[in-house]
PDB file of all heavy atoms in Angstrom:
ATOM      1  N   ARG K   9       3.874  -1.637  -4.556  1.00  0.00           N
ATOM      2  CA  ARG K   9       5.274  -1.526  -4.570  1.00  0.00           C
ATOM      3  C   ARG K   9       5.560  -0.114  -4.000  1.00  0.00           C
ATOM      4  O   ARG K   9       5.019   0.892  -4.441  1.00  0.00           O
ATOM      5  CB  ARG K   9       5.789  -1.664  -5.903  1.00  0.00           C
ATOM      6  CG  ARG K   9       7.377  -1.291  -5.930  1.00  0.00           C
ATOM      7  CD  ARG K   9       7.976  -1.579  -7.314  1.00  0.00           C
ATOM      8  NE  ARG K   9       8.103  -3.025  -7.463  1.00  0.00           N
ATOM      9  CZ  ARG K   9       8.203  -3.573  -8.554  1.00  0.00           C
ATOM     10  NH1 ARG K   9       8.232  -2.852  -9.709  1.00  0.00           N
ATOM     11  NH2 ARG K   9       8.250  -4.926  -8.617  1.00  0.00           N
ATOM     12  N   ILE K  10       6.374  -0.073  -3.018  1.00  0.00           N
ATOM     13  CA  ILE K  10       6.763   1.184  -2.312  1.00  0.00           C
ATOM     14  C   ILE K  10       8.162   1.501  -2.840  1.00  0.00           C
ATOM     15  O   ILE K  10       9.067   0.749  -2.805  1.00  0.00           O
ATOM     16  CB  ILE K  10       6.838   1.035  -0.846  1.00  0.00           C
ATOM     17  CG1 ILE K  10       5.544   0.561  -0.238  1.00  0.00           C
ATOM     18  CG2 ILE K  10       7.319   2.329  -0.131  1.00  0.00           C
ATOM     19  CD1 ILE K  10       5.604   0.071   1.289  1.00  0.00           C
ATOM     20  N   ASP K  11       8.228   2.804  -3.375  1.00  0.00           N
ATOM     21  CA  ASP K  11       9.561   3.235  -3.842  1.00  0.00           C
ATOM     22  C   ASP K  11       9.816   4.615  -3.257  1.00  0.00           C
ATOM     23  O   ASP K  11       9.116   5.586  -3.305  1.00  0.00           O
ATOM     24  CB  ASP K  11       9.353   3.555  -5.364  1.00  0.00           C
ATOM     25  CG  ASP K  11      10.662   3.715  -6.142  1.00  0.00           C
ATOM     26  OD1 ASP K  11      11.681   3.863  -5.423  1.00  0.00           O
ATOM     27  OD2 ASP K  11      10.666   3.702  -7.420  1.00  0.00           O
ATOM     28  N   GLY K  12      10.953   4.616  -2.445  1.00  0.00           N
ATOM     29  CA  GLY K  12      11.372   5.816  -1.769  1.00  0.00           C
ATOM     30  C   GLY K  12      11.233   5.751  -0.264  1.00  0.00           C
ATOM     31  O   GLY K  12      11.275   4.684   0.288  1.00  0.00           O
ATOM     32  N   ASP K  13      11.065   6.906   0.339  1.00  0.00           N
ATOM     33  CA  ASP K  13      11.095   7.036   1.779  1.00  0.00           C
ATOM     34  C   ASP K  13       9.599   6.999   2.240  1.00  0.00           C
ATOM     35  O   ASP K  13       8.724   7.719   1.841  1.00  0.00           O
ATOM     36  CB  ASP K  13      11.625   8.370   2.315  1.00  0.00           C
ATOM     37  CG  ASP K  13      13.094   8.558   2.011  1.00  0.00           C
ATOM     38  OD1 ASP K  13      13.764   7.487   1.721  1.00  0.00           O
ATOM     39  OD2 ASP K  13      13.682   9.720   2.034  1.00  0.00           O
ATOM     40  N   LEU K  14       9.367   5.982   3.268  1.00  0.00           N
ATOM     41  CA  LEU K  14       8.041   5.950   3.856  1.00  0.00           C
ATOM     42  C   LEU K  14       8.151   6.721   5.195  1.00  0.00           C
ATOM     43  O   LEU K  14       8.768   6.305   6.118  1.00  0.00           O
ATOM     44  CB  LEU K  14       7.740   4.516   4.152  1.00  0.00           C
ATOM     45  CG  LEU K  14       6.195   4.262   4.679  1.00  0.00           C
ATOM     46  CD1 LEU K  14       5.212   4.918   3.891  1.00  0.00           C
ATOM     47  CD2 LEU K  14       6.011   2.788   4.869  1.00  0.00           C
ATOM     48  N   ASP K  15       7.615   7.987   5.200  1.00  0.00           N
ATOM     49  CA  ASP K  15       7.877   8.829   6.319  1.00  0.00           C
ATOM     50  C   ASP K  15       6.656   9.743   6.515  1.00  0.00           C
ATOM     51  O   ASP K  15       5.659   9.461   6.019  1.00  0.00           O
ATOM     52  CB  ASP K  15       9.118   9.692   6.094  1.00  0.00           C
ATOM     53  CG  ASP K  15       9.111  10.504   4.764  1.00  0.00           C
ATOM     54  OD1 ASP K  15       7.966  10.686   4.231  1.00  0.00           O
ATOM     55  OD2 ASP K  15      10.263  10.895   4.366  1.00  0.00           O
ATOM     56  N   VAL K  16       6.817  10.825   7.352  1.00  0.00           N
ATOM     57  CA  VAL K  16       5.850  11.759   7.711  1.00  0.00           C
ATOM     58  C   VAL K  16       5.066  12.280   6.452  1.00  0.00           C
ATOM     59  O   VAL K  16       3.873  12.516   6.421  1.00  0.00           O
ATOM     60  CB  VAL K  16       6.288  12.809   8.605  1.00  0.00           C
ATOM     61  CG1 VAL K  16       7.218  13.799   7.941  1.00  0.00           C
ATOM     62  CG2 VAL K  16       5.161  13.631   9.178  1.00  0.00           C
ATOM     63  N   ASP K  17       5.839  12.415   5.358  1.00  0.00           N
ATOM     64  CA  ASP K  17       5.194  12.999   4.160  1.00  0.00           C
ATOM     65  C   ASP K  17       4.481  12.043   3.288  1.00  0.00           C
ATOM     66  O   ASP K  17       3.570  12.435   2.452  1.00  0.00           O
ATOM     67  CB  ASP K  17       6.352  13.700   3.308  1.00  0.00           C
ATOM     68  CG  ASP K  17       7.047  14.886   3.966  1.00  0.00           C
ATOM     69  OD1 ASP K  17       6.257  15.620   4.700  1.00  0.00           O
ATOM     70  OD2 ASP K  17       8.217  15.017   3.855  1.00  0.00           O
ATOM     71  N   SER K  18       4.797  10.703   3.427  1.00  0.00           N
ATOM     72  CA  SER K  18       4.177   9.737   2.523  1.00  0.00           C
ATOM     73  C   SER K  18       3.317   8.720   3.265  1.00  0.00           C
ATOM     74  O   SER K  18       2.577   7.936   2.616  1.00  0.00           O
ATOM     75  CB  SER K  18       5.283   9.006   1.788  1.00  0.00           C
ATOM     76  OG  SER K  18       6.237   8.454   2.667  1.00  0.00           O
ATOM     77  N   ALA K  19       3.362   8.667   4.573  1.00  0.00           N
ATOM     78  CA  ALA K  19       2.593   7.566   5.327  1.00  0.00           C
ATOM     79  C   ALA K  19       1.124   7.584   4.942  1.00  0.00           C
ATOM     80  O   ALA K  19       0.592   6.518   4.747  1.00  0.00           O
ATOM     81  CB  ALA K  19       2.827   7.875   6.852  1.00  0.00           C
ATOM     82  N   ASP K  20       0.500   8.736   4.915  1.00  0.00           N
ATOM     83  CA  ASP K  20      -0.985   8.785   4.589  1.00  0.00           C
ATOM     84  C   ASP K  20      -1.298   8.248   3.252  1.00  0.00           C
ATOM     85  O   ASP K  20      -2.351   7.565   2.983  1.00  0.00           O
ATOM     86  CB  ASP K  20      -1.565  10.155   4.721  1.00  0.00           C
ATOM     87  CG  ASP K  20      -1.606  10.654   6.151  1.00  0.00           C
ATOM     88  OD1 ASP K  20      -1.608   9.793   7.122  1.00  0.00           O
ATOM     89  OD2 ASP K  20      -1.686  11.844   6.337  1.00  0.00           O
ATOM     90  N   ASP K  21      -0.393   8.393   2.265  1.00  0.00           N
ATOM     91  CA  ASP K  21      -0.597   7.870   0.903  1.00  0.00           C
ATOM     92  C   ASP K  21      -0.579   6.373   0.901  1.00  0.00           C
ATOM     93  O   ASP K  21      -1.406   5.751   0.236  1.00  0.00           O
ATOM     94  CB  ASP K  21       0.429   8.373   0.022  1.00  0.00           C
ATOM     95  CG  ASP K  21       0.345   9.942  -0.151  1.00  0.00           C
ATOM     96  OD1 ASP K  21      -0.755  10.425  -0.572  1.00  0.00           O
ATOM     97  OD2 ASP K  21       1.343  10.679   0.141  1.00  0.00           O
ATOM     98  N   LEU K  22       0.250   5.717   1.704  1.00  0.00           N
ATOM     99  CA  LEU K  22       0.255   4.295   1.756  1.00  0.00           C
ATOM    100  C   LEU K  22      -0.974   3.756   2.397  1.00  0.00           C
ATOM    101  O   LEU K  22      -1.604   2.831   1.893  1.00  0.00           O
ATOM    102  CB  LEU K  22       1.503   3.761   2.558  1.00  0.00           C
ATOM    103  CG  LEU K  22       1.555   2.213   2.852  1.00  0.00           C
ATOM    104  CD1 LEU K  22       1.596   1.455   1.426  1.00  0.00           C
ATOM    105  CD2 LEU K  22       2.629   1.892   3.758  1.00  0.00           C
ATOM    106  N   VAL K  23      -1.447   4.381   3.503  1.00  0.00           N
ATOM    107  CA  VAL K  23      -2.644   3.968   4.151  1.00  0.00           C
ATOM    108  C   VAL K  23      -3.884   4.082   3.181  1.00  0.00           C
ATOM    109  O   VAL K  23      -4.696   3.219   3.163  1.00  0.00           O
ATOM    110  CB  VAL K  23      -2.869   4.746   5.424  1.00  0.00           C
ATOM    111  CG1 VAL K  23      -4.212   4.487   6.023  1.00  0.00           C
ATOM    112  CG2 VAL K  23      -1.748   4.459   6.410  1.00  0.00           C
ATOM    113  N   GLU K  24      -3.897   5.218   2.477  1.00  0.00           N
ATOM    114  CA  GLU K  24      -5.044   5.478   1.622  1.00  0.00           C
ATOM    115  C   GLU K  24      -5.006   4.414   0.428  1.00  0.00           C
ATOM    116  O   GLU K  24      -6.072   3.906  -0.018  1.00  0.00           O
ATOM    117  CB  GLU K  24      -5.119   6.836   1.058  1.00  0.00           C
ATOM    118  CG  GLU K  24      -5.539   7.767   2.096  1.00  0.00           C
ATOM    119  CD  GLU K  24      -6.859   7.436   2.750  1.00  0.00           C
ATOM    120  OE1 GLU K  24      -7.834   7.053   2.003  1.00  0.00           O
ATOM    121  OE2 GLU K  24      -6.884   7.381   4.010  1.00  0.00           O
ATOM    122  N   ALA K  25      -3.825   4.099  -0.153  1.00  0.00           N
ATOM    123  CA  ALA K  25      -3.675   3.084  -1.191  1.00  0.00           C
ATOM    124  C   ALA K  25      -4.129   1.785  -0.607  1.00  0.00           C
ATOM    125  O   ALA K  25      -4.890   1.016  -1.343  1.00  0.00           O
ATOM    126  CB  ALA K  25      -2.228   2.991  -1.695  1.00  0.00           C
ATOM    127  N   ALA K  26      -3.756   1.368   0.556  1.00  0.00           N
ATOM    128  CA  ALA K  26      -4.153   0.057   1.077  1.00  0.00           C
ATOM    129  C   ALA K  26      -5.598   0.096   1.332  1.00  0.00           C
ATOM    130  O   ALA K  26      -6.313  -0.949   0.994  1.00  0.00           O
ATOM    131  CB  ALA K  26      -3.403  -0.148   2.474  1.00  0.00           C
ATOM    132  N   ARG K  27      -6.196   1.122   1.859  1.00  0.00           N
ATOM    133  CA  ARG K  27      -7.645   1.220   2.103  1.00  0.00           C
ATOM    134  C   ARG K  27      -8.430   1.091   0.805  1.00  0.00           C
ATOM    135  O   ARG K  27      -9.438   0.309   0.774  1.00  0.00           O
ATOM    136  CB  ARG K  27      -8.007   2.518   2.755  1.00  0.00           C
ATOM    137  CG  ARG K  27      -9.477   2.700   3.203  1.00  0.00           C
ATOM    138  CD  ARG K  27      -9.778   4.050   3.739  1.00  0.00           C
ATOM    139  NE  ARG K  27      -8.725   4.590   4.658  1.00  0.00           N
ATOM    140  CZ  ARG K  27      -8.708   4.500   5.888  1.00  0.00           C
ATOM    141  NH1 ARG K  27      -9.708   3.835   6.569  1.00  0.00           N
ATOM    142  NH2 ARG K  27      -7.709   5.047   6.633  1.00  0.00           N
ATOM    143  N   THR K  28      -7.943   1.683  -0.237  1.00  0.00           N
ATOM    144  CA  THR K  28      -8.609   1.514  -1.626  1.00  0.00           C
ATOM    145  C   THR K  28      -8.522   0.160  -2.029  1.00  0.00           C
ATOM    146  O   THR K  28      -9.544  -0.369  -2.543  1.00  0.00           O
ATOM    147  CB  THR K  28      -7.933   2.537  -2.619  1.00  0.00           C
ATOM    148  OG1 THR K  28      -8.114   3.854  -2.152  1.00  0.00           O
ATOM    149  CG2 THR K  28      -8.473   2.387  -4.013  1.00  0.00           C
ATOM    150  N   CYS K  29      -7.381  -0.447  -1.931  1.00  0.00           N
ATOM    151  CA  CYS K  29      -7.279  -1.920  -2.346  1.00  0.00           C
ATOM    152  C   CYS K  29      -8.156  -2.783  -1.585  1.00  0.00           C
ATOM    153  O   CYS K  29      -8.849  -3.707  -2.147  1.00  0.00           O
ATOM    154  CB  CYS K  29      -5.891  -2.358  -2.231  1.00  0.00           C
ATOM    155  SG  CYS K  29      -4.649  -1.572  -3.341  1.00  0.00           S
ATOM    156  N   LEU K  30      -8.186  -2.618  -0.310  1.00  0.00           N
ATOM    157  CA  LEU K  30      -9.064  -3.443   0.606  1.00  0.00           C
ATOM    158  C   LEU K  30     -10.493  -3.260   0.528  1.00  0.00           C
ATOM    159  O   LEU K  30     -11.274  -4.133   0.801  1.00  0.00           O
ATOM    160  CB  LEU K  30      -8.522  -3.367   2.062  1.00  0.00           C
ATOM    161  CG  LEU K  30      -7.178  -3.835   2.256  1.00  0.00           C
ATOM    162  CD1 LEU K  30      -6.564  -3.326   3.606  1.00  0.00           C
ATOM    163  CD2 LEU K  30      -6.964  -5.390   2.213  1.00  0.00           C
ATOM    164  N   ASP K  31     -10.869  -2.083   0.025  1.00  0.00           N
ATOM    165  CA  ASP K  31     -12.293  -1.691  -0.141  1.00  0.00           C
ATOM    166  C   ASP K  31     -12.882  -2.266  -1.433  1.00  0.00           C
ATOM    167  O   ASP K  31     -14.060  -2.201  -1.699  1.00  0.00           O
ATOM    168  CB  ASP K  31     -12.541  -0.203  -0.037  1.00  0.00           C
ATOM    169  CG  ASP K  31     -12.448   0.311   1.363  1.00  0.00           C
ATOM    170  OD1 ASP K  31     -12.504  -0.473   2.303  1.00  0.00           O
ATOM    171  OD2 ASP K  31     -12.395   1.539   1.584  1.00  0.00           O
ATOM    172  N   ALA K  32     -12.039  -2.841  -2.329  1.00  0.00           N
ATOM    173  CA  ALA K  32     -12.438  -3.233  -3.603  1.00  0.00           C
ATOM    174  C   ALA K  32     -13.430  -4.516  -3.435  1.00  0.00           C
ATOM    175  O   ALA K  32     -13.396  -5.109  -2.336  1.00  0.00           O
ATOM    176  CB  ALA K  32     -11.272  -3.837  -4.447  1.00  0.00           C
ATOM    177  N   ASP K  33     -14.237  -4.759  -4.342  1.00  0.00           N
ATOM    178  CA  ASP K  33     -15.168  -5.899  -4.369  1.00  0.00           C
ATOM    179  C   ASP K  33     -14.935  -6.779  -5.519  1.00  0.00           C
ATOM    180  O   ASP K  33     -15.088  -6.374  -6.672  1.00  0.00           O
ATOM    181  CB  ASP K  33     -16.615  -5.316  -4.406  1.00  0.00           C
ATOM    182  CG  ASP K  33     -17.719  -6.444  -4.203  1.00  0.00           C
ATOM    183  OD1 ASP K  33     -17.320  -7.465  -3.545  1.00  0.00           O
ATOM    184  OD2 ASP K  33     -18.827  -6.246  -4.625  1.00  0.00           O
ATOM    185  N   PRO K  34     -14.431  -7.973  -5.252  1.00  0.00           N
ATOM    186  CA  PRO K  34     -14.180  -8.592  -3.943  1.00  0.00           C
ATOM    187  C   PRO K  34     -12.902  -7.980  -3.361  1.00  0.00           C
ATOM    188  O   PRO K  34     -11.964  -7.697  -4.007  1.00  0.00           O
ATOM    189  CB  PRO K  34     -14.089 -10.081  -4.264  1.00  0.00           C
ATOM    190  CG  PRO K  34     -13.525 -10.074  -5.614  1.00  0.00           C
ATOM    191  CD  PRO K  34     -14.118  -8.887  -6.409  1.00  0.00           C
ATOM    192  N   SER K  35     -12.860  -8.108  -1.981  1.00  0.00           N
ATOM    193  CA  SER K  35     -11.642  -7.721  -1.261  1.00  0.00           C
ATOM    194  C   SER K  35     -10.568  -8.736  -1.474  1.00  0.00           C
ATOM    195  O   SER K  35     -10.867  -9.921  -1.559  1.00  0.00           O
ATOM    196  CB  SER K  35     -11.971  -7.568   0.200  1.00  0.00           C
ATOM    197  OG  SER K  35     -10.885  -7.191   0.961  1.00  0.00           O
ATOM    198  N   PRO K  36      -9.294  -8.259  -1.592  1.00  0.00           N
ATOM    199  CA  PRO K  36      -8.189  -9.208  -1.761  1.00  0.00           C
ATOM    200  C   PRO K  36      -8.037 -10.128  -0.521  1.00  0.00           C
ATOM    201  O   PRO K  36      -8.354  -9.627   0.532  1.00  0.00           O
ATOM    202  CB  PRO K  36      -7.024  -8.349  -2.039  1.00  0.00           C
ATOM    203  CG  PRO K  36      -7.313  -7.029  -1.410  1.00  0.00           C
ATOM    204  CD  PRO K  36      -8.780  -6.878  -1.607  1.00  0.00           C
ATOM    205  N   ARG K  37      -7.566 -11.316  -0.671  1.00  0.00           N
ATOM    206  CA  ARG K  37      -7.246 -12.193   0.423  1.00  0.00           C
ATOM    207  C   ARG K  37      -5.892 -11.849   0.957  1.00  0.00           C
ATOM    208  O   ARG K  37      -5.519 -12.234   2.126  1.00  0.00           O
ATOM    209  CB  ARG K  37      -7.381 -13.659   0.026  1.00  0.00           C
ATOM    210  CG  ARG K  37      -8.761 -14.031  -0.275  1.00  0.00           C
ATOM    211  CD  ARG K  37      -8.837 -15.590  -0.707  1.00  0.00           C
ATOM    212  NE  ARG K  37      -8.127 -15.704  -1.895  1.00  0.00           N
ATOM    213  CZ  ARG K  37      -7.309 -16.742  -2.093  1.00  0.00           C
ATOM    214  NH1 ARG K  37      -7.165 -17.731  -1.214  1.00  0.00           N
ATOM    215  NH2 ARG K  37      -6.689 -16.895  -3.223  1.00  0.00           N
ATOM    216  N   LEU K  38      -4.964 -11.352   0.110  1.00  0.00           N
ATOM    217  CA  LEU K  38      -3.653 -11.078   0.443  1.00  0.00           C
ATOM    218  C   LEU K  38      -3.222  -9.705  -0.027  1.00  0.00           C
ATOM    219  O   LEU K  38      -3.455  -9.488  -1.294  1.00  0.00           O
ATOM    220  CB  LEU K  38      -2.692 -12.129  -0.030  1.00  0.00           C
ATOM    221  CG  LEU K  38      -1.294 -11.949   0.065  1.00  0.00           C
ATOM    222  CD1 LEU K  38      -0.796 -12.014   1.523  1.00  0.00           C
ATOM    223  CD2 LEU K  38      -0.410 -13.081  -0.689  1.00  0.00           C
ATOM    224  N   LEU K  39      -2.678  -8.872   0.809  1.00  0.00           N
ATOM    225  CA  LEU K  39      -2.203  -7.551   0.432  1.00  0.00           C
ATOM    226  C   LEU K  39      -0.674  -7.666   0.696  1.00  0.00           C
ATOM    227  O   LEU K  39      -0.249  -7.822   1.679  1.00  0.00           O
ATOM    228  CB  LEU K  39      -2.836  -6.480   1.196  1.00  0.00           C
ATOM    229  CG  LEU K  39      -2.260  -5.019   1.031  1.00  0.00           C
ATOM    230  CD1 LEU K  39      -2.399  -4.591  -0.494  1.00  0.00           C
ATOM    231  CD2 LEU K  39      -2.824  -4.057   1.954  1.00  0.00           C
ATOM    232  N   ARG K  40       0.115  -7.546  -0.450  1.00  0.00           N
ATOM    233  CA  ARG K  40       1.552  -7.569  -0.379  1.00  0.00           C
ATOM    234  C   ARG K  40       2.104  -6.238  -0.559  1.00  0.00           C
ATOM    235  O   ARG K  40       1.801  -5.530  -1.479  1.00  0.00           O
ATOM    236  CB  ARG K  40       2.005  -8.559  -1.454  1.00  0.00           C
ATOM    237  CG  ARG K  40       1.683  -9.943  -1.286  1.00  0.00           C
ATOM    238  CD  ARG K  40       2.142 -10.809  -2.536  1.00  0.00           C
ATOM    239  NE  ARG K  40       3.450 -10.562  -2.857  1.00  0.00           N
ATOM    240  CZ  ARG K  40       3.927 -10.750  -4.053  1.00  0.00           C
ATOM    241  NH1 ARG K  40       3.156 -11.172  -5.037  1.00  0.00           N
ATOM    242  NH2 ARG K  40       5.217 -10.550  -4.314  1.00  0.00           N
ATOM    243  N   LEU K  41       3.014  -5.810   0.340  1.00  0.00           N
ATOM    244  CA  LEU K  41       3.648  -4.562   0.129  1.00  0.00           C
ATOM    245  C   LEU K  41       5.146  -4.950  -0.236  1.00  0.00           C
ATOM    246  O   LEU K  41       5.840  -5.625   0.594  1.00  0.00           O
ATOM    247  CB  LEU K  41       3.713  -3.834   1.494  1.00  0.00           C
ATOM    248  CG  LEU K  41       2.342  -3.407   2.023  1.00  0.00           C
ATOM    249  CD1 LEU K  41       2.560  -2.557   3.381  1.00  0.00           C
ATOM    250  CD2 LEU K  41       1.503  -2.679   1.021  1.00  0.00           C
ATOM    251  N   ASP K  42       5.500  -4.629  -1.453  1.00  0.00           N
ATOM    252  CA  ASP K  42       6.783  -4.915  -1.921  1.00  0.00           C
ATOM    253  C   ASP K  42       7.708  -3.750  -1.475  1.00  0.00           C
ATOM    254  O   ASP K  42       7.647  -2.678  -1.949  1.00  0.00           O
ATOM    255  CB  ASP K  42       6.763  -4.947  -3.464  1.00  0.00           C
ATOM    256  CG  ASP K  42       8.153  -5.438  -3.984  1.00  0.00           C
ATOM    257  OD1 ASP K  42       9.174  -5.316  -3.294  1.00  0.00           O
ATOM    258  OD2 ASP K  42       8.162  -5.858  -5.152  1.00  0.00           O
ATOM    259  N   CYS K  43       8.633  -4.088  -0.492  1.00  0.00           N
ATOM    260  CA  CYS K  43       9.499  -3.118   0.086  1.00  0.00           C
ATOM    261  C   CYS K  43      10.970  -3.065  -0.544  1.00  0.00           C
ATOM    262  O   CYS K  43      11.863  -2.451   0.009  1.00  0.00           O
ATOM    263  CB  CYS K  43       9.612  -3.368   1.559  1.00  0.00           C
ATOM    264  SG  CYS K  43       8.030  -3.309   2.461  1.00  0.00           S
ATOM    265  N   GLU K  44      11.080  -3.721  -1.624  1.00  0.00           N
ATOM    266  CA  GLU K  44      12.440  -3.832  -2.217  1.00  0.00           C
ATOM    267  C   GLU K  44      13.019  -2.419  -2.565  1.00  0.00           C
ATOM    268  O   GLU K  44      14.183  -2.244  -2.375  1.00  0.00           O
ATOM    269  CB  GLU K  44      12.312  -4.572  -3.586  1.00  0.00           C
ATOM    270  CG  GLU K  44      13.623  -4.858  -4.257  1.00  0.00           C
ATOM    271  CD  GLU K  44      13.652  -5.775  -5.438  1.00  0.00           C
ATOM    272  OE1 GLU K  44      12.520  -5.909  -6.072  1.00  0.00           O
ATOM    273  OE2 GLU K  44      14.590  -6.578  -5.623  1.00  0.00           O
ATOM    274  N   ARG K  45      12.232  -1.446  -2.889  1.00  0.00           N
ATOM    275  CA  ARG K  45      12.740  -0.144  -3.277  1.00  0.00           C
ATOM    276  C   ARG K  45      12.504   0.821  -2.153  1.00  0.00           C
ATOM    277  O   ARG K  45      12.641   2.038  -2.371  1.00  0.00           O
ATOM    278  CB  ARG K  45      12.068   0.421  -4.542  1.00  0.00           C
ATOM    279  CG  ARG K  45      12.397  -0.442  -5.735  1.00  0.00           C
ATOM    280  CD  ARG K  45      11.750   0.145  -6.963  1.00  0.00           C
ATOM    281  NE  ARG K  45      11.983  -0.698  -8.127  1.00  0.00           N
ATOM    282  CZ  ARG K  45      11.360  -0.613  -9.283  1.00  0.00           C
ATOM    283  NH1 ARG K  45      10.452   0.296  -9.410  1.00  0.00           N
ATOM    284  NH2 ARG K  45      11.615  -1.453 -10.223  1.00  0.00           N
TER     285      ARG K  45
END
């Protein structure tokens, strides 16, 4: 879930969070980004 502005200050944090999720064992089949907020 993303809350706030996705910009120059926060972009790397999203990528790192996604990388952490995708590197899990087992890797998820679906990565959902909830953009409601």
Side-chain angles (χ1 to χ4, degrees):
R9 175 174 287 160
I10 303 169
D11 192 350
D13 296 343
L14 184 56
D15 57 18
V16 67
D17 295 324
S18 58
D20 288 341
D21 295 301
L22 175 62
V23 173
E24 286 309 310
R27 187 182 319 263
T28 299
C29 292
L30 294 165
D31 284 347
D33 188 24
S35 179
R37 292 180 297 138
L38 174 64
L39 176 60
R40 296 175 44 209
L41 300 183
D42 185 341
C43 301
E44 185 172 26
R45 296 182 186 167

